[in-house]
Amino acid sequence: GAMFWTQGEADNATALATYQSALTQLAVDWDADTRAITGQSEVVPLITYQNASNASKNVALAQLAAANASALIYMACPMYQFDYSDTQHVTADSSKWLGAYYGLVAKRVMVDGLEWSPVQPVSNTRQGAILTIKFTTPIRPLVLDTTAVPAQTNYGFSLTDSGGTPITIN
């Protein structure tokens, strides 16, 4: 049916392009090998998550980029909303929730024949000092929950200009 990819986060120093390429190749190989062995014609998707517990975001960004670029890869959800027992491992209850997200995506994609995309920005417009960002939202409205996820400066958003210089958010 599908491959569910949950990994450790010790490879956080891996370059974004390197990780994206490796994850995409894993999905291609898994799909081809599974279909060759089983004789099935249906695509075998790779359903993954977006890690969140490392300061380096290369792997997290590569996971999202791979899901957006490959028809074989689906990102079920990010991990920031879950409870951690330490700085890298989620609790048993959060593991169950991750499994529920994996199951939801598998059903939507494999049974219902629908597309799936996690919450992410899809467009932005700027009028003077006002920047409006549109997000994919499986269920509306999109709410920034500071109870489940502790409040962060600018709700975790940052902006840079085309040269990479940070822009102050007010």
Side-chain angles (χ1 to χ4, degrees):
M3 176 183 180
F4 300 98
W5 180 251
T6 307
Q7 65 160 65
E9 298 183 27
D11 57 359
N12 63 347
T14 304
L16 192 154
T18 301
Y19 189 93
Q20 179 182 350
S21 176
L23 184 61
T24 301
Q25 191 61 52
L26 174 65
V28 168
D29 292 346
W30 184 266
D31 176 57
D33 292 350
T34 301
R35 289 206 261 173
I37 291 167
T38 64
Q40 74 184 56
S41 59
E42 297 85 15
V43 168
V44 182
L46 183 148
I47 300 171
T48 189
Y49 71 108
Q50 184 179 39
N51 67 35
S53 65
N54 278 316
S56 171
K57 301 302 180 200
N58 284 352
V59 171
L61 293 172
Q63 289 168 320
L64 180 60
N68 285 337
S70 172
L72 290 173
I73 302 174
Y74 294 89
M75 179 176 291
C77 64
M79 295 293 287
Y80 60 79
Q81 74 275 19
F82 296 129
D83 293 323
Y84 286 76
S85 58
D86 56 21
T87 59
Q88 292 186 337
H89 301 95
V90 294
T91 63
D93 282 343
S94 289
S95 290
K96 289 179 188 177
W97 276 107
L98 178 58
Y101 276 101
Y102 281 171
L104 173 64
V105 174
K107 181 188 182 295
R108 294 260 173 97
V109 170
M110 298 167 58
V111 176
D112 300 339
L114 301 173
E115 283 300 312
W116 175 267
S117 179
V119 173
Q120 63 181 305
V122 292
S123 69
N124 67 77
T125 55
R126 181 177 174 180
Q127 291 182 323
I130 305 295
L131 179 66
T132 302
I133 304 170
K134 291 189 178 184
F135 290 84
T136 59
T137 51
I139 299 173
R140 294 177 189 212
L142 177 61
V143 177
L144 299 173
D145 182 355
T146 57
T147 302
V149 178
Q152 299 183 27
T153 303
N154 298 319
Y155 293 99
F157 289 95
S158 63
L159 295 172
T160 60
D161 64 18
S162 59
T165 303
I167 298 172
T168 301
I169 299 174
N170 297 319

